Amino acid sequence: MAAIQVAERRATGINETLPGRVAAEAQCVATRNARTMQFEDKTTLSDVLYDVTTMLPRDKAVTPEDADKVVAAELRNNPYMSTPPGGVTASMTAARHNENSTT
């Protein structure tokens, strides 16, 4: 959740969680998932991030600083001090790699 907030803030330049945007949706999903008993009824991170570009006011290339901030947030909020495969950090790193490979 914290990694999504940081990623959105870095992308938009807005230092708050706004209703209807990615971080707000992720928070709602996390709350709903905590109350959902059946695993197959839970919403996944990929479900939340599926159409992320339409939820942001602009599209911004990932910078090394953006990726570093997201990694730090994800590590800070994980009791095992690791980032999950396929998580927000992995997405940011892949986006940064793609950006670097096209320049």
Side-chain angles (χ1 to χ4, degrees):
M1 176 57 205
I4 293 172
Q5 287 176 327
V6 170
E8 182 176 331
R9 289 175 181 177
R10 299 289 297 182
T12 63
I14 300 169
N15 201 22
E16 61 183 295
T17 300
L18 299 175
R21 299 263 172 84
V22 182
E25 177 66 19
Q27 182 61 54
C28 289
V29 165
T31 301
R32 187 172 51 244
N33 279 351
R35 295 184 215 144
T36 302
M37 301 304 282
Q38 300 286 351
F39 180 78
E40 58 272 3
D41 294 336
K42 294 185 183 222
T43 303
T44 66
L45 178 61
S46 62
D47 293 334
V48 173
L49 299 178
Y50 172 73
D51 203 18
V52 70
T53 56
T54 63
M55 299 171 91
L56 296 174
R58 65 185 175 113
D59 195 12
K60 175 185 175 284
V62 175
T63 66
E65 295 81 16
D66 295 335
D68 290 345
K69 296 283 186 182
V70 171
V71 169
E74 201 158 41
L75 289 173
R76 189 174 51 248
N77 289 282
N78 184 317
Y80 302 107
M81 292 296 292
S82 64
T83 60
V88 178
T89 295
S91 298
M92 293 288 286
T93 303
R96 185 177 74 191
H97 173 74
N98 289 342
E99 178 68 21
N100 289 340
S101 68
T102 60
T103 56

